[in-house]
């Protein structure tokens, strides 16, 4: 990172960004140009490994692309604030963000899918005590992304 003073290195602060961000932008390899899709997400740490979970339809362009190449890029951000000033050149913008890469898997196992859906619910509601019928779990597309590396940055 060029501006080292903005780099975030503490795990607690990564967790704050993960908790505060509600949209992750996923980038897929496509034939001619990258394909970027914004989606909501859930997440969890399994010891030192970070997993993101994404739900949606069981078909579509992002699923077709990741079947061809499961490597994805991602970005999420939060704490947006415009900082005003007397001169245009002194205006700035505050933010916290994470950029990373990972490997995506389309989940098929019922209980792993349910767990992923509950992690999404937990992120949005802070609750995991939802009773989701098997039919709904089976009817939902679920992607697990194992994060291979990421960096975090904040300007606040
Ligand atoms: C804030 C936010 C949160 C979202 N959360 C979710 C989520 O949790 N789960 C989920 O599945 N979807 C979510 N969406 C919708 C998501 O961005 C995609 O539209 C959706 O997942 C379908 O993607 P796909 O690749 O299967 O597209 P397809 O239905 O296969 O369509 C592909 C075509 O549609 C265009 N397209 C697809 N999505 C968009 C878009 N968002 N904006 C403009 N053009 C688009 C593409 O450029 C491409 O040409 C969210 C969107 C936003 C803005």
């Amino acid at each position: 990172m060029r501006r080292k003073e903005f780099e975030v290195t503490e795990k607690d602060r990564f967790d704050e960004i993960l908790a505060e961000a509600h949209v992750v932008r996923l980038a897929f390899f496509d034939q001619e140009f990258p394909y970027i899709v914004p989606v909501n997400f859930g997440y969890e740490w399994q010891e030192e490994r970070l997993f993101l979970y994404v739900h949606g339809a069981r078909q579509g362009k992002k699923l077709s692309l990741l079947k061809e190449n499961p490597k994805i890029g991602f970005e999420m951000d939060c704490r947006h604030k415009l900082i005003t000033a007397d001169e245009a050149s002194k205006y700035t913008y505050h933010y916290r963000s994470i950029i990373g890469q990972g490997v995506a898997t389309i989940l098929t196992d019922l209980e792993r899918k349910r767990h992923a859906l509950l992690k999404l619910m937990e992120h949005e509601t802070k609750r995991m005590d939802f009773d989701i019928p098997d039919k709904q779990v089976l009817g939902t597309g679920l992607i697990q992304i194992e994060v291979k590396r990421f960096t975090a940055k904040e300007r606040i």
Side-chain angles (χ1 to χ4, degrees), residues 22-25 28 35-41 53-57 59-65 120 141:
H22 290 276
V23 177
V24 63
R25 292 158 198 94
F28 300 87
Y35 178 61
I36 296 185
V37 186
V39 283
N40 299 110
F41 68 99
Y53 298 109
V54 173
H55 82 308
Q59 297 94 28
K61 183 163 177 169
K62 64 182 177 311
L63 290 179
S64 303
L65 291 177
L120 271 139

Side-chain angles (χ1 to χ4, degrees), residues 130-146:
F130 294 93
D131 190 12
I132 310 174
D134 290 356
K135 197 172 166 201
Q136 283 177 14
V137 179
L138 289 168
T140 306
L142 280 147
I143 301 170
Q144 173 187 275
I145 297 160
E146 180 172 1

Side-chain angles (χ1 to χ4, degrees), residues 44-63:
E44 69 179 336
W45 290 93
Q46 290 180 9
E47 297 179 355
E48 296 300 305
R49 295 194 302 166
L50 174 61
F51 293 89
L52 305 181
Y53 298 109
V54 173
H55 82 308
R58 285 183 300 156
Q59 297 94 28
K61 183 163 177 169
K62 64 182 177 311
L63 290 179

